[in-house]
Amino acid sequence: MKALVLSGGSGTRLRPFSYSMPKQLIPIANKPVLEHVLTAIRDIGVTDVGIVVGNQLRAISGALGDGSALGVRITYIPQAEPLGLAHCVAIARDFLGDDDFVMYLGDNMLPEGVADLAAEFRARRPAAQVVVHKVPDPQEFGVAEVAADGSVLRLVEKPARPRTDLALIGVYFLTPVIHEAVAAISPSARGELEITDALQWLVDRGETVRAGEYAGYWKDTGRVEDVLDCNREVLRALTRSVAADVDEASEITGPVVVEPGARVVRSRIEGPAVIGAGTLVEDSHVGPYTSVGGDCVLRDTRLDDSIVLDGASLCRVRGLYGSVIGRSAAIGTFPPPPATSAPHLPAAGRHRLVVGDHTRIEVAA
């Protein structure tokens, strides 16, 4: 079995971050979403992975390389423009050959993995097996109507009046017959080759398409709120590991990971939290559900329930929560550059910020 990971989307709902980095590289507990995806794929015994990429090939390949560090082998498959999930299958035809494969959306987080569903597919080997999850708003998804025995009766993309609450959540186990289906369908009204149309073509032809329900935590990391929620979920599973320089005046409680090369000085860190390699935390309080990336600086700062990306600096920021701070951003009281026109943040109160890469925000004295 091979894997096809789809990472060509532009991530408009994750701006300003998706202006400067692919949404699939947003870190969850200090690891890019794609790294979590590839780990889940490796854990079902699949190591030959094709990644469909759009105009962010350089950024994604720079982060993942050839995949060897994660125990997989990556082939990058360029996609000139996003024309649907089934289009991704079509352009990956040479890579996929005649192998079964799992297709996985590159911005999906399923922390509990899909090992049981993969084993079910291998045991039964239907023409296709979709992964479904009960959602409160099925009209926003592809929806499956499923018989009592688990076979799919009908698939509808974003129905106005859904007949079930079983949404397709972006993991599909497929056999080579899907290529015939993809070749047989036409673009939808929105101009895309829909994988739901290809799967429905199989159903209409009498092929067996099954649904496997994933009951664990699932999140499409397409919005800042979803990224923060997913970060909380992944951090809950942390195992304490402090492999860094922590002075005697500091206190670390709960499941906290402090990576090698980090320094904690006169500070308090409450888990679950992770502090990246090379980061300095000084005279600060890092609260629960916070991820701080590598090579950051936190001085006289308090934050919780937040994500700080690599290289960011926070100085005298006392009250950040539910925030995402971009790479190499600077927030706080710093020596101002000549004729600074940086926006200002009041010194007092609690603040919730979404700050893009390389942004500078001054804190009022």
Side-chain angles (χ1 to χ4, degrees), residues 164-223:
T164 79
D165 60 356
L166 294 175
L168 306 180
I169 60 171
V171 181
Y172 309 82
F173 294 93
L174 303 165
T175 62
V177 71
I178 194 65
H179 300 298
E180 185 179 353
V182 168
I185 63 173
S186 301
S188 65
R190 60 179 182 172
E192 297 187 0
L193 288 176
E194 310 284 359
I195 195 66
T196 46
D197 289 345
L199 293 167
Q200 185 63 47
W201 186 90
L202 293 177
V203 171
D204 292 342
R205 203 177 75 160
E207 299 280 359
T208 300
V209 177
R210 295 188 57 82
E213 184 175 350
Y214 175 81
Y217 178 90
W218 163 74
K219 190 67 70 174
D220 166 2
T221 56
R223 302 177 305 163

Side-chain angles (χ1 to χ4, degrees), residues 1-5 38 41-51 66-68 70-77 92 94-104 122:
M1 184 184 288
K2 292 178 179 176
L4 186 64
V5 176
L38 292 176
I41 288 169
R42 185 197 63 207
D43 288 348
I44 63 172
V46 177
T47 57
D48 199 0
V49 181
I51 300 183
D66 63 2
S68 57
L70 298 173
V72 299
R73 181 174 60 256
I74 295 175
T75 299
Y76 294 99
I77 303 168
D94 289 344
F95 165 77
L96 295 168
D98 292 324
D99 292 307
D100 294 350
F101 64 101
V102 56
M103 184 168 72
Y104 208 121
R122 286 173 167 134

Side-chain angles (χ1 to χ4, degrees), residues 48-354:
D48 199 0
V49 181
I51 300 183
V52 176
V53 292
N55 60 2
Q56 297 279 12
L57 172 59
R58 181 176 297 180
I60 291 175
S61 62
L64 301 177
D66 63 2
S68 57
L70 298 173
V72 299
R73 181 174 60 256
I74 295 175
T75 299
Y76 294 99
I77 303 168
Q79 185 184 35
E81 55 182 320
L83 294 175
L85 305 191
H87 179 257
C88 294
V89 174
I91 64 174
R93 183 70 177 91
D94 289 344
F95 165 77
L96 295 168
D98 292 324
D99 292 307
D100 294 350
F101 64 101
V102 56
M103 184 168 72
Y104 208 121
L105 298 192
D107 54 4
N108 265 12
M109 287 288 296
L110 293 80
E112 296 171 33
V114 292
D116 291 347
L117 296 170
E120 180 183 336
F121 171 73
R122 286 173 167 134
R124 293 177 176 268
R125 201 171 179 269
Q129 179 175 300
V130 298
V131 177
V132 297
H133 184 76
K134 290 183 178 180
V135 298
D137 52 349
Q139 68 275 9
E140 298 298 320
F141 301 88
V143 173
E145 296 175 23
V146 183
D149 65 356
S151 60
V152 173
L153 303 174
R154 187 166 177 254
L155 293 148
V156 183
E157 186 67 30
K158 296 183 179 179
R161 295 180 177 83
R163 295 187 182 181
T164 79
D165 60 356
L166 294 175
L168 306 180
I169 60 171
V171 181
Y172 309 82
F173 294 93
L174 303 165
T175 62
V177 71
I178 194 65
H179 300 298
E180 185 179 353
V182 168
I185 63 173
S186 301
S188 65
R190 60 179 182 172
E192 297 187 0
L193 288 176
E194 310 284 359
I195 195 66
T196 46
D197 289 345
L199 293 167
Q200 185 63 47
W201 186 90
L202 293 177
V203 171
D204 292 342
R205 203 177 75 160
E207 299 280 359
T208 300
V209 177
R210 295 188 57 82
E213 184 175 350
Y214 175 81
Y217 178 90
W218 163 74
K219 190 67 70 174
D220 166 2
T221 56
R223 302 177 305 163
V224 169
E225 296 85 353
D226 299 325
V227 169
L228 286 166
D229 188 74
C230 196
N231 194 60
R232 295 181 204 110
E233 181 68 21
V234 174
L235 287 177
R236 287 189 182 99
L238 276 187
T239 299
R240 183 183 173 104
S241 174
V242 179
D245 181 7
V246 179
D247 73 357
E248 294 182 357
S250 296
E251 182 181 5
I252 295 179
T253 61
V256 173
V257 172
V258 185
E259 297 179 353
R263 288 196 298 138
V264 181
V265 181
R266 298 182 301 275
S267 296
R268 176 179 172 83
I269 302 175
E270 299 178 59
V274 57
I275 307 297
T279 285
L280 171 65
V281 180
E282 184 175 74
D283 298 317
S284 296
H285 185 167
V286 177
Y289 304 109
T290 299
S291 299
V292 180
D295 299 316
C296 295
V297 175
L298 275 61
R299 282 195 173 97
D300 195 10
T301 287
R302 171 157 189 161
L303 77 160
D304 59 78
D305 191 22
S306 295
I307 299 173
V308 181
L309 276 67
D310 293 350
S313 298
L314 287 79
C315 182
R316 290 187 171 179
V317 185
R318 305 186 190 101
L320 280 186
Y321 75 101
S323 298
V324 182
I325 310 302
R327 294 174 297 182
S328 300
I331 302 174
T333 304
F334 304 99
T340 180
S341 60
H344 281 71
L345 186 72
R350 299 190 78 207
H351 308 289
R352 190 169 190 171
L353 298 177
V354 177

